[in-house]
Every structure is written in C-alpha cells, then in structure tokens.
DNA sequence: GCATATGTTCGACGAAAATCGAACTACCGC
DNA sequence: GCGGTAGTTCGATTTTCGTCGAACATATGC
C-alpha cells in the first residue's frame, strides 16, 4: 500500500504562492515534464542538473504550493500534478504556464 | 506630446521573468488595479503602503517584464497594461492571474 | 544483517530581491 | 526664478531564495 506526503488544502494556497513556485526555471521544467508524463514520476527520474538536496527542495516547494502530489512507494517518491484541484483553484493558470512558447 | 519609457520586446521576455514579476503581492495589486482601471494611472495614484523608491522599483519590474507600458506626461508617469501584446505572448496568463479568487 | 538506492533534513553560503532614506532630475504654475 | 509635485537613481540594509555537502532516515535485495 502507498501513502502520500502531506499536502496543503488548495483553498489555503495563495495566488502569490503559486506564482512564486512556478517562477523558477528548474521547477518549471519539472511541471512541464509532469504534465507530459503519462504516469507519476520518481523525483530522481528528471534530468535535473542539481544536487539531490536542491532537487528535494524544489519538489517540496511545488508540493507546498499545491501544485504536485507525492506518493511514497518504497524508497521512491512518485510525483504527479494535482491537475484538477489546482485548475479548480486557479483556472487557466497551469494551462497558460504549460502553453507552448509563442514565438513571434 | 507624450513619450513613452523604453520597454522590452515581448518576444524577449521569458515566462520565468513574467511569472517572477507577477509573484509579488504589491505588484499583483498594481496589475489588478490597472486591469480594472478605465484609463492609464499615475504611479502615485495607487494606495500602496511602500515608499516611493520601492514603488518606483515595482513599476520598473513590471515594465521590464513586458507587463506594463509607461507614458510620460509632464511630471507624471501614466501606467497601463500591455494587454494585447502580453496576451499574445503568454495566452491566458493575465486572465488566470486576474481571475477572481476561487473560494471553495 | 549489511550494503545499496532514494530522498529528506540540517546548517552554511552566496546571489538575488525588497525595502528605505537621501540626493537628484524634470516639469509645472505662479 | 522659485517652490512644489512626481518619479528616478544610488547606496545600504535586510530578507528571501537557490545551492551544496554531510548526516540522517527508510526501504529493498542479497
């Protein structure tokens, strides 16, 4: 059986917190990868060029901003987007962030 | 005649920069006020509880993120949203940020 | 049990950002 | 010209954030 890591009630996440969490290149990369992944990913499966301490910090930031959910499976943590909940709280925000860059 | 303060080409503004600029309570307040204002506003017309040096800094941040336009009119600076351009660059982002908070 | 794999937590450090007062610039009206 | 108005720029301070190594925790597999 798997448990999940504690996560905030979306109602208590402010827009500022959400934007703050998204306003970082590394975390943006994680969110994009999660959005295109068919299933939850282990933290280590991202090709991030940072130490595991830093990586853990970024995943924590995303989780505490209500953007991701973390399931504990053995020694791994399976991370996924809280798509529906987040969309309900901040309609359109993830879509806008995930939209392909408009090149002019 | 009015001139405008130099502003970036939206194509050169990254999503990260835009999010960074929006991820601040004071600036979020400014953007919301601008969105609901019928006409460009002078910097000083916002009820911000910060010094004018700080205020100037925030307006600069928004301008450099391509979010606002600044017109010089006499001793005043008239600030307005670059709505259409910004929407073209980051579709849906401003809408999401300006959406009324979803209370659950 | 023990080595390994996967993350987290704990300081510490440097870079970046928010804030301010003070000095400065530019313009307006009298 | 002069005083007042509206912002900007500068330097300093404080806070926040990203980053890391090292120590720790926990589960797996042999």
């Amino acid at each position: 059986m798997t448990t999940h890591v504690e996560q905030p009630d979306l109602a208590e996440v402010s827009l500022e917190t959400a934007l703050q969490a998204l306003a970082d290149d590394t975390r943006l990369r994680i969110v994009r990868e999660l959005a295109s992944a068919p299933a939850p990913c282990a933290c280590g499966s991202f090709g991030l060029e940072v130490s595991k301490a830093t990586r853990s910090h970024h995943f924590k930031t995303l989780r505490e901003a209500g953007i991701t959910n973390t399931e504990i499976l053995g020694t791994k943590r399976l991370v996924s987007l809280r798509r529906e909940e987040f969309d309900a709280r901040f309609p359109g925000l993830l879509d806008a962030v995930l939209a392909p860059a408009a090149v002019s």
Side-chain angles (χ1 to χ4, degrees), chain A:
Chain A
M1 205 203 85
T2 63
T3 26
H4 69 83
V5 178
E6 199 177 351
Q7 59 189 19
D9 182 344
L10 260 299
E12 280 158 27
V13 175
S14 71
L15 174 59
E16 197 191 336
T17 300
L19 290 171
Q20 196 83 251
L22 293 169
D24 176 273
D25 187 58
T26 302
R27 292 192 292 264
L28 224 37
R29 234 173 280 201
I30 294 172
V31 170
R32 289 208 180 95
E33 191 156 338
L34 285 175
S36 64
C41 309
C43 295
S45 72
F46 297 78
L48 304 174
E49 63 242 9
V50 293
S51 73
K52 59 180 183 172
T54 302
R55 197 196 325 146
S56 187
H57 158 72
H58 284 310
F59 279 108
K60 186 180 182 185
T61 301
L62 287 172
R63 184 177 358 106
E64 292 181 342
I67 299 173
T68 60
N69 174 37
T70 305
E71 257 182 299
I72 300 181
L73 182 64
T75 80
K76 299 187 179 180
R77 303 288 187 278
L78 297 187
V79 184
S80 56
L81 288 182
R82 293 174 68 182
R83 247 314 195 171
E84 289 180 26
E85 294 171 274
F86 194 83
D87 282 351
R89 176 72 179 85
F90 301 113
L93 183 52
L94 262 187
D95 286 326
V97 166
L98 293 172
V103 187
S104 58

